[in-house]
Each structure stands twice: as C-alpha cells, then as structure tokens.
Amino acid sequence: MDAAEGLAVLAAGAAAGAINAVVGSGTLVTFPVLLALGYPPVVANVSNTVGLVPGSFSGAYAYRKDLAGHGWLLLRLGIAAVLGGVTGGVLLLCLPPGAFRAIVPALIGMALVLVVLQPRLARALAGRRDEDGRRAGALLLLGVFGTGTYGGYFGAAQGVLLLGLLGVLLSTDLRWVNGVKNLLAGLVNGVAAALFLALGTVAWQPALLIAAGSVVGGLIGGRWGRRLPPTALRAVIVVVGLAALVKLLLA
C-alpha cells in the first residue's frame, strides 16, 4: 500500500466513523475501498470490522451523559448484542461469502419503514412500555440478538436496523436511542473482531488506518448527532439508509 492508498483508507475510516456515530452504514464507505485495493471480500470484511471497533466506542463515548443511569437496561441489551455478534462472526467464517446478501436489502428496507413510522408505532405500543418507555422486553432482546448476528456477519447498515428497532420498541427519543445504538454496535463489532483476530485473517495495515480515522470521525459524528433535532435525525437516517439500500442492490 503506497502513501496515497493509505490516505484514502484513513479518510474512509474517518468518514465511516462519523457516519456510524450519527446513523450507521459506515461499512459501505470502507469496505468498497478495501475491495478496490485488491483485498479478498472476506479479508476486507474482517479487516474492516476490526478497524471500525475503536470508532464505534468513540461514538458511544460522545453520548456517555445521555446513557448514564440506564446500566441495567444497557447490560441486558449488551448481552443480547454480544451473543448475536459472536453468532454472526462464526457464520461469516463458516458460510460461503455472500450467503446473507439476498436478505440484506429487505432488512434495510424494513428498518427504514420502522424509522419513518416510528412515532405512530411507538404510540400504538405505548401501553406495553413502563413509565419512561425504556424497557428491554423479550421481543426487543430477540431483535437486538438478530441485528447483532447480522452485524457480526457483515454489518453494513447495522445502525439503521438498530435505530428502527430501538425507536419502536424502546424509546421515541431518537437522540438517546442513537447513543444506545452506538454502544450496541460497538459491542457487536468488538466481539466479532475478537473472534476474527483468533480465527480469521486480518490485513493489519488497512485495519489500523481505519481504526485511527474512525476514532476521530466517531467523536466528531457523535457530537454532531447529539445536536440534531429528532426530525432532522430521522431524515438523515432515511437518506443514508436509502443510499445503502441502492448501493447493495446495485452491487
């Protein structure tokens, strides 16, 4: 990798870190760059996942004040996410490349519908929530596990899926939900990366460049995302999700 290619990977990592902190789908920036540099798909996916872990946690760090006081809730959701991430990572190492590709566009489309209809659906489900609307029920835990499985396997638009799920079943406060999303996505990427480090093949040079860029991007994106009003944040989610959907359909 020459200097120009290294700068391209570093810049892609920063962009992905910022996008992941605000919405998700940062993988759709970094993964194609690694493919363009000649890395095989599985190696690119593994290296990309390892590289984006620090950025995921830097994005969650920007929301630390919003998440304070919800330790028990976050623990339950985190366990479901970690189990899903391990499951997805094992599937990536065992299944043929692209085995989930056919269902990914449908999942993203469903998540976008959930995001758009979230206020109405949340009101309809209000009777099932506790007083502040922030309870981890069985359906939500199962959904977080499923999203974690997808995230451990591939991860593109994992954030969009989580935002749609959490926004309907957990809370209508999208800015708070975004902080939860960043934490859960970080956990999924972290356990999948640990699995890949033990069993998979990591291209360390691009992984480290992505990691460096994603930390800066995650901090910037996290701070910016916290300032967005709910309507604007919902619009950004839909635009990025639609871009991810089109890109995957045309891939």
Side-chain angles (χ1 to χ4, degrees), residues 120-222:
R120 183 176 300 176
L121 291 173
R123 286 192 296 270
L125 293 172
R128 297 188 178 185
R129 294 193 179 121
D130 52 15
E131 290 182 359
D132 68 355
R134 300 177 183 183
R135 181 183 61 185
L139 182 60
L140 177 58
L141 292 173
L142 182 61
V144 169
F145 171 81
T147 305
T149 299
Y150 166 70
Y153 184 89
F154 182 47
Q158 176 189 186
V160 176
L161 294 174
L162 275 171
L163 285 170
L165 180 73
L166 298 173
V168 171
L169 296 178
L170 185 60
S171 173
T172 57
D173 184 351
L174 268 185
R175 283 177 290 192
W176 181 80
V177 161
N178 204 23
V180 178
K181 177 267 294 180
N182 286 339
L183 178 62
L184 296 182
L187 290 172
V188 170
N189 289 341
V191 297
L195 185 65
F196 297 154
L197 289 175
L199 303 175
T201 302
V202 179
W204 281 107
Q205 191 173 17
L208 292 174
L209 288 171
I210 290 173
S214 69
V215 168
V216 177
L219 288 172
I220 294 173

Side-chain angles (χ1 to χ4, degrees), residues 40-124:
V42 172
V43 174
N45 194 11
V46 167
S47 305
N48 177 68
T49 298
V50 172
L52 288 178
V53 170
S56 297
F57 286 115
S58 69
Y61 180 77
Y63 286 84
R64 64 194 181 280
K65 293 182 180 178
D66 302 284
L67 300 180
H70 298 282
W72 175 240
L73 169 66
L74 296 176
L75 176 62
R76 295 184 67 194
L77 293 175
I79 291 173
V82 165
L83 292 175
V86 171
T87 302
V90 170
L91 289 175
L92 175 65
L93 296 174
C94 296
L95 292 178
F100 279 2
R101 184 175 296 273
I103 68 169
V104 169
L107 289 173
I108 296 174
M110 181 177 65
L112 292 178
V113 171
L114 289 176
V115 170
V116 172
L117 298 180
Q118 179 224 6
R120 183 176 300 176
L121 291 173
R123 286 192 296 270

